[in-house]
Amino acid sequence: MTERSGAPAAAARPRTTTTAGPAAGRPPRPTAGVVHLLALVLVSLNLRGAIAAVSPVLDDIRADLGLGAGTAALLTTLPVLCFALGSLLVPGIARRWGVDRAVITALLVIAAGIALRPWGGAVPLLVGTVVIGAGITIGNVLIPVLVKRDFSRRLNTVTAVSTASLTTGAAITAVLMTPLAHVLGWRAATAVWAVMAAGGAALWWRSSQGRGEVELPRTRGRSPVWRAGGAWALAVYFGTQSGSYYAVTAWLPGMLRDMSGLSADAAALAMSTFQVLGIVGALATPVLVARTRSPRVPAVMFGLLWAATFVGLLLAPGLWAVWILLGGAVQGGGISVAFILIARRAVDADVARSLSAMVQAVGYSLGAGLPVLVGVLSGAGWTIPLGVMALVALVMAGSGFAAGSSGTIGHAAPRAAEVPVAV
């Protein structure tokens, strides 16, 4: 049965706009060319790497700048807070500028933040981190929209590719940061990743040329997705998944050093492995969805496997390699199924934009506190933090069951031919 909420979108009148460019006056056509797909991959590569780059050199940053544990935790937590606070602004930005221009702007903002944040003390570092978080927020919200808009016929597959690219970006920085820092120092090693963000902006600009963009109708008041139970279940699922991922990203190296006796280099390698294995989980998710005929099964399964990872680290820390392999695959699969659900359950691209914003705003608000809570609780050891994380994972499994319903969310917008075009 279809889940619907709010008044019909046909009642909303689209704004009259002026059109320009070679594609003016035409409805948009799904673009699934190789260049456009590569551009989507490069956009996604830039949406995690700048955050994951901090963990391998966190000890160097703290020693150089004299940062306390709480301030150091902000380097991971501030971007997540930006995701929570800024996600609801993204639909308005995308409507005003167009989705493609918003994506290009986001990548340029990320590049600027990466390039500037290491060259100073604690304040520039934190300000630059906020700037990076603002840019990533736009990209986070718009990735499911781009997949729904441009690759709707291959939604599961392209969602998996874009999600695998998220984890690949984190994996690349996690793997290369330690050797780069040995050669260049941590400042230059963290700044060099601005090149990849600038390259992503250039390629997306190139692939979006000549494509008109339909301006979707402006709805009045709060979006109807806020009244959909399925949207709230999906937000809880997204929040518990993101909280688990960012808590592990922030604290896994320290956890392994304390509990398993690993050296700093070995803990950094374990962290890199965790990030790399997210690619496997993301790419395997469409296969799981196809075989089970529903995202509900993998959604619940990933929550239970997260719980198994945390319980395993707590009860058998000597088998840390097993838990890193398991958790790494699960973190990629969890975010992949969340994005699949956003794109699949939204009735059209306009609803996908609102649903993605709502899910990420609520989800990241829930998830942002977990890395900080884990850091605070870790002062007395890792038993309580791992127990809390296991409970959060069980909540993820329960919300995944509700979020994985086959019903759609929202009402379809007017046909594209009836909607004015803007570029």
Side-chain angles (χ1 to χ4, degrees), residues 276-321:
V276 169
L277 286 168
I279 303 169
V280 177
L283 293 177
T285 298
V287 178
L288 290 173
V289 172
R291 288 185 178 274
T292 59
R293 299 183 180 181
S294 169
R296 173 174 278 168
V297 174
V300 173
M301 181 183 73
F302 291 140
L304 295 177
L305 291 178
W306 260 130
T309 299
F310 300 136
V311 172
L313 282 170
L314 177 61
L315 299 181
L319 298 176
W320 60 268

Side-chain angles (χ1 to χ4, degrees), residues 86-127:
S87 292
L88 295 179
L89 302 177
V90 176
I93 292 171
R95 183 175 284 112
R96 184 179 183 85
W97 296 352
V99 173
D100 295 313
R101 288 175 183 160
V103 169
I104 294 167
T105 301
L107 291 171
L108 293 176
V109 168
I110 293 169
I114 293 173
L116 297 176
R117 73 171 171 172
W119 307 110
V123 173
L125 187 67
L126 294 176
V127 170

Side-chain angles (χ1 to χ4, degrees), residues 373-391:
L373 179 61
V374 169
V376 171
L377 295 176
S378 67
W382 293 104
T383 300
I384 294 176
L386 284 169
V388 169
M389 293 166 77
L391 290 176

Side-chain angles (χ1 to χ4, degrees), residues 119-362:
W119 307 110
V123 173
L125 187 67
L126 294 176
V127 170
T129 299
V130 171
V131 171
I132 292 167
I136 294 176
T137 299
I138 298 174
N140 281 343
V141 174
L142 294 183
I143 284 291
V145 180
L146 296 172
V147 173
K148 184 81 170 182
R149 186 193 71 177
D150 298 341
F151 302 96
S152 58
R153 294 183 180 179
R154 292 179 288 181
L155 189 147
N156 286 358
T157 301
V158 176
T159 297
V161 169
S162 63
T163 307
S165 301
L166 291 177
T167 57
T168 300
I172 290 171
T173 55
V175 168
L176 296 181
M177 273 304 299
T178 298
L180 280 175
H182 286 322
V183 175
L184 304 175
W186 72 265
R187 296 179 189 270
T190 53
V192 73
W193 300 103
V195 175
M196 188 164 70
L203 186 58
W204 191 266
W205 175 82
R206 171 66 182 85
S207 74
S208 64
Q209 290 301 294
R211 295 193 303 112
E213 186 170 7
V214 169
E215 182 181 359
L216 296 168
R218 181 184 299 274
T219 56
R220 295 182 178 180
R222 175 170 286 188
S223 169
V225 301
W226 289 87
R227 297 188 292 273
W232 282 97
L234 185 50
V236 172
Y237 183 82
F238 194 97
T240 49
Q241 155 65 27
S242 67
S244 299
Y245 169 77
Y246 286 111
V248 172
T249 297
W251 298 110
L252 180 63
M255 190 183 300
L256 293 177
R257 288 195 299 269
D258 294 344
M259 298 182 67
S260 304
L262 270 65
S263 66
D265 288 343
L269 179 61
M271 180 66 186
S272 302
T273 304
F274 171 81
Q275 299 290 354
V276 169
L277 286 168
I279 303 169
V280 177
L283 293 177
T285 298
V287 178
L288 290 173
V289 172
R291 288 185 178 274
T292 59
R293 299 183 180 181
S294 169
R296 173 174 278 168
V297 174
V300 173
M301 181 183 73
F302 291 140
L304 295 177
L305 291 178
W306 260 130
T309 299
F310 300 136
V311 172
L313 282 170
L314 177 61
L315 299 181
L319 298 176
W320 60 268
V322 174
W323 313 126
I324 295 303
L325 293 174
L326 180 61
V330 168
Q331 58 97 354
I335 189 65
S336 182
V337 79
F339 281 140
I340 286 174
L341 285 168
I342 291 172
R344 174 180 281 199
R345 296 202 62 185
V347 71
D348 60 18
D350 186 35
V351 173
R353 182 165 51 183
S354 298
L355 180 61
S356 181
M358 178 267 188
V359 165
Q360 295 193 47
V362 175

